[in-house]
Amino acid sequence: MDTAFDIQTIQNKLYTHQYQKLGTGSGRRVYLLDSDYVLKAAFNRKGYAQNQVEAYISQTDDSLIFAKIFFCDPDYRYLIMERADRINNISVIFEYFRVNNLKELFALPELNDIIIKYNLLIADLRRPVNWGLIDSRPVIIDYGFTKMVKRKYYSFF
């Protein structure tokens, strides 16, 4: 996370609606900054927690399976991630990893290891919206929803 970004300019453009909104989740909105980066803006505690988790994973993980984070502000409100092309069907992931189904996909050591290491939720990773392509290589673009985040911010009992 060493790329320099002018967060004040980004905030000004965000507040004046100059960025295209790509999507909204339960705690964050995602905006297209330019052809290389997206901005994930937290709007509640869930979003801050998810940004914090993604920043941590990106800093500590050296695999190529996660889209990389290039900036996260100290309070985790804003996170800037490399942009990936969207996929519409999980079959794109199956083809790349040469598997036939989700069970085979998550049994692959490279995926199984990160799921265990970072307490990722398989139910979340089975959704095509959480994956993207960078240079025709699948990457996980939404990896802030861990078991801890779910337990702390989404479980009611």
Side-chain angles (χ1 to χ4, degrees), residues 61-84:
D61 191 80
D62 60 358
S63 74
L64 298 175
I65 197 69
F66 296 107
K68 298 299 178 205
I69 307 298
F70 291 92
F71 171 83
C72 190
D73 64 345
D75 70 356
Y76 303 105
R77 182 170 189 178
Y78 299 112
L79 179 145
I80 297 176
M81 176 183 279
E82 66 183 320
R83 186 189 152 281

Short mmCIF file of all heavy atoms in Angstrom, two decimals, residues 61-84:
data_model
loop_
_atom_site.label_atom_id
_atom_site.label_comp_id
_atom_site.label_asym_id
_atom_site.label_seq_id
_atom_site.Cartn_x
_atom_site.Cartn_y
_atom_site.Cartn_z
N ASP A 61 -0.88 -11.01 2.81
CA ASP A 61 -0.96 -12.14 1.89
C ASP A 61 -0.09 -11.89 0.66
O ASP A 61 -0.11 -10.81 0.10
CB ASP A 61 -2.40 -12.39 1.46
CG ASP A 61 -2.56 -13.70 0.74
OD1 ASP A 61 -2.63 -14.74 1.41
OD2 ASP A 61 -2.59 -13.68 -0.50
N ASP A 62 0.64 -12.92 0.25
CA ASP A 62 1.49 -12.77 -0.94
C ASP A 62 0.99 -13.60 -2.12
O ASP A 62 1.67 -13.72 -3.12
CB ASP A 62 2.94 -13.12 -0.61
CG ASP A 62 3.11 -14.54 -0.12
OD1 ASP A 62 2.10 -15.26 0.03
OD2 ASP A 62 4.25 -14.94 0.15
N SER A 63 -0.21 -14.16 -2.00
CA SER A 63 -0.76 -14.91 -3.13
C SER A 63 -1.29 -13.93 -4.18
O SER A 63 -1.39 -12.73 -3.93
CB SER A 63 -1.89 -15.83 -2.65
OG SER A 63 -3.06 -15.08 -2.36
N LEU A 64 -1.66 -14.45 -5.30
CA LEU A 64 -2.22 -13.63 -6.37
C LEU A 64 -3.74 -13.75 -6.44
O LEU A 64 -4.35 -13.27 -7.40
CB LEU A 64 -1.61 -14.03 -7.72
CG LEU A 64 -0.10 -13.84 -7.84
CD1 LEU A 64 0.40 -14.38 -9.18
CD2 LEU A 64 0.25 -12.37 -7.69
N ILE A 65 -4.35 -14.34 -5.42
CA ILE A 65 -5.78 -14.62 -5.47
C ILE A 65 -6.63 -13.42 -5.04
O ILE A 65 -7.80 -13.34 -5.36
CB ILE A 65 -6.13 -15.88 -4.64
CG1 ILE A 65 -7.51 -16.43 -5.01
CG2 ILE A 65 -6.04 -15.60 -3.15
CD1 ILE A 65 -7.59 -17.02 -6.37
N PHE A 66 -6.03 -12.47 -4.33
CA PHE A 66 -6.78 -11.30 -3.87
C PHE A 66 -6.42 -10.07 -4.71
O PHE A 66 -5.24 -9.85 -5.00
CB PHE A 66 -6.45 -10.96 -2.41
CG PHE A 66 -6.85 -12.02 -1.43
CD1 PHE A 66 -5.89 -12.81 -0.83
CD2 PHE A 66 -8.18 -12.22 -1.10
CE1 PHE A 66 -6.25 -13.78 0.09
CE2 PHE A 66 -8.55 -13.19 -0.18
CZ PHE A 66 -7.58 -13.98 0.41
N ALA A 67 -7.43 -9.28 -5.07
CA ALA A 67 -7.15 -7.98 -5.68
C ALA A 67 -6.40 -7.17 -4.62
O ALA A 67 -6.74 -7.18 -3.45
CB ALA A 67 -8.44 -7.29 -6.08
N LYS A 68 -5.37 -6.47 -5.04
CA LYS A 68 -4.50 -5.76 -4.11
C LYS A 68 -5.08 -4.41 -3.70
O LYS A 68 -5.75 -3.73 -4.48
CB LYS A 68 -3.11 -5.55 -4.73
CG LYS A 68 -2.38 -6.84 -5.04
CD LYS A 68 -2.14 -7.66 -3.79
CE LYS A 68 -1.44 -8.97 -4.12
NZ LYS A 68 -1.69 -10.00 -3.16
N ILE A 69 -4.77 -4.03 -2.47
CA ILE A 69 -5.15 -2.74 -1.92
C ILE A 69 -3.95 -1.81 -2.04
O ILE A 69 -2.83 -2.17 -1.68
CB ILE A 69 -5.54 -2.86 -0.42
CG1 ILE A 69 -6.60 -3.94 -0.19
CG2 ILE A 69 -5.98 -1.51 0.13
CD1 ILE A 69 -7.90 -3.74 -0.87
N PHE A 70 -4.18 -0.60 -2.53
CA PHE A 70 -3.11 0.37 -2.70
C PHE A 70 -3.17 1.51 -1.71
O PHE A 70 -2.21 2.25 -1.55
CB PHE A 70 -3.10 0.90 -4.13
CG PHE A 70 -2.68 -0.13 -5.12
CD1 PHE A 70 -3.61 -0.93 -5.76
CD2 PHE A 70 -1.34 -0.35 -5.39
CE1 PHE A 70 -3.22 -1.92 -6.65
CE2 PHE A 70 -0.93 -1.33 -6.27
CZ PHE A 70 -1.87 -2.12 -6.90
N PHE A 71 -4.31 1.67 -1.07
CA PHE A 71 -4.44 2.73 -0.06
C PHE A 71 -5.59 2.38 0.86
O PHE A 71 -6.63 1.89 0.42
CB PHE A 71 -4.72 4.09 -0.71
CG PHE A 71 -5.07 5.17 0.27
CD1 PHE A 71 -4.08 5.87 0.93
CD2 PHE A 71 -6.40 5.46 0.55
CE1 PHE A 71 -4.40 6.84 1.86
CE2 PHE A 71 -6.73 6.43 1.48
CZ PHE A 71 -5.73 7.14 2.13
N CYS A 72 -5.39 2.64 2.14
CA CYS A 72 -6.48 2.59 3.11
C CYS A 72 -6.19 3.66 4.15
O CYS A 72 -5.08 3.72 4.69
CB CYS A 72 -6.58 1.21 3.77
SG CYS A 72 -8.08 1.05 4.76
N ASP A 73 -7.16 4.54 4.39
CA ASP A 73 -6.89 5.59 5.37
C ASP A 73 -6.91 5.01 6.78
O ASP A 73 -7.42 3.92 7.01
CB ASP A 73 -7.84 6.78 5.19
CG ASP A 73 -9.30 6.44 5.45
OD1 ASP A 73 -9.64 5.25 5.49
OD2 ASP A 73 -10.09 7.38 5.61
N PRO A 74 -6.32 5.72 7.72
CA PRO A 74 -6.16 5.18 9.08
C PRO A 74 -7.46 4.79 9.79
O PRO A 74 -7.46 3.90 10.63
CB PRO A 74 -5.45 6.31 9.84
CG PRO A 74 -4.76 7.09 8.79
CD PRO A 74 -5.63 7.01 7.56
N ASP A 75 -8.56 5.45 9.45
CA ASP A 75 -9.82 5.08 10.11
C ASP A 75 -10.64 4.07 9.31
O ASP A 75 -11.74 3.72 9.69
CB ASP A 75 -10.65 6.33 10.44
CG ASP A 75 -11.22 7.02 9.21
OD1 ASP A 75 -10.93 6.59 8.07
OD2 ASP A 75 -11.98 7.98 9.39
N TYR A 76 -10.11 3.60 8.18
CA TYR A 76 -10.72 2.56 7.33
C TYR A 76 -12.00 3.01 6.62
O TYR A 76 -12.78 2.19 6.17
CB TYR A 76 -10.98 1.28 8.14
CG TYR A 76 -9.73 0.74 8.77
CD1 TYR A 76 -9.50 0.88 10.13
CD2 TYR A 76 -8.74 0.14 8.00
CE1 TYR A 76 -8.32 0.41 10.72
CE2 TYR A 76 -7.56 -0.32 8.57
CZ TYR A 76 -7.36 -0.18 9.92
OH TYR A 76 -6.21 -0.63 10.49
N ARG A 77 -12.17 4.30 6.51
CA ARG A 77 -13.35 4.78 5.77
C ARG A 77 -13.20 4.57 4.27
O ARG A 77 -14.13 4.19 3.59
CB ARG A 77 -13.59 6.25 6.06
CG ARG A 77 -14.83 6.75 5.34
CD ARG A 77 -15.23 8.11 5.78
NE ARG A 77 -16.54 8.41 5.22
CZ ARG A 77 -17.17 9.52 5.45
NH1 ARG A 77 -16.66 10.42 6.24
NH2 ARG A 77 -18.34 9.73 4.89
N TYR A 78 -11.99 4.83 3.76
CA TYR A 78 -11.74 4.71 2.33
C TYR A 78 -10.65 3.69 2.06
O TYR A 78 -9.62 3.68 2.73
CB TYR A 78 -11.32 6.06 1.73
CG TYR A 78 -12.35 7.13 1.89
CD1 TYR A 78 -12.11 8.21 2.74
CD2 TYR A 78 -13.55 7.07 1.21
CE1 TYR A 78 -13.07 9.20 2.89
CE2 TYR A 78 -14.50 8.05 1.38
CZ TYR A 78 -14.26 9.12 2.21
OH TYR A 78 -15.21 10.08 2.37
N LEU A 79 -10.91 2.88 1.06
CA LEU A 79 -9.95 1.87 0.65
C LEU A 79 -9.88 1.92 -0.87
O LEU A 79 -10.92 1.99 -1.54
CB LEU A 79 -10.45 0.51 1.14
CG LEU A 79 -9.64 -0.72 0.82
CD1 LEU A 79 -9.74 -1.69 1.99
CD2 LEU A 79 -10.14 -1.39 -0.42
N ILE A 80 -8.68 1.90 -1.41
CA ILE A 80 -8.51 1.92 -2.87
C ILE A 80 -7.88 0.59 -3.30
O ILE A 80 -6.83 0.21 -2.80
CB ILE A 80 -7.65 3.11 -3.31
CG1 ILE A 80 -8.37 4.42 -2.95
CG2 ILE A 80 -7.38 3.04 -4.82
CD1 ILE A 80 -7.59 5.67 -3.24
N MET A 81 -8.58 -0.07 -4.19
CA MET A 81 -8.21 -1.41 -4.64
C MET A 81 -7.98 -1.40 -6.14
O MET A 81 -8.58 -0.59 -6.86
CB MET A 81 -9.35 -2.38 -4.30
CG MET A 81 -9.19 -3.80 -4.79
SD MET A 81 -10.66 -4.83 -4.41
CE MET A 81 -10.33 -5.23 -2.70
N GLU A 82 -7.13 -2.32 -6.59
CA GLU A 82 -6.95 -2.44 -8.04
C GLU A 82 -8.28 -2.85 -8.67
O GLU A 82 -9.06 -3.60 -8.09
CB GLU A 82 -5.83 -3.41 -8.39
CG GLU A 82 -6.06 -4.85 -8.03
CD GLU A 82 -4.85 -5.72 -8.35
OE1 GLU A 82 -4.21 -5.53 -9.39
OE2 GLU A 82 -4.56 -6.61 -7.55
N ARG A 83 -8.55 -2.32 -9.84
CA ARG A 83 -9.80 -2.59 -10.53
C ARG A 83 -9.72 -3.93 -11.26
O ARG A 83 -8.71 -4.25 -11.87
CB ARG A 83 -10.07 -1.48 -11.55
CG ARG A 83 -11.42 -1.60 -12.22
CD ARG A 83 -11.53 -0.61 -13.38
NE ARG A 83 -12.43 -1.12 -14.38
CZ ARG A 83 -12.13 -2.03 -15.28
NH1 ARG A 83 -10.94 -2.55 -15.34
NH2 ARG A 83 -13.02 -2.44 -16.16
N ALA A 84 -10.79 -4.68 -11.18
CA ALA A 84 -10.89 -5.95 -11.89
C ALA A 84 -12.14 -5.93 -12.76
O ALA A 84 -13.12 -5.25 -12.45
CB ALA A 84 -10.98 -7.11 -10.89
#
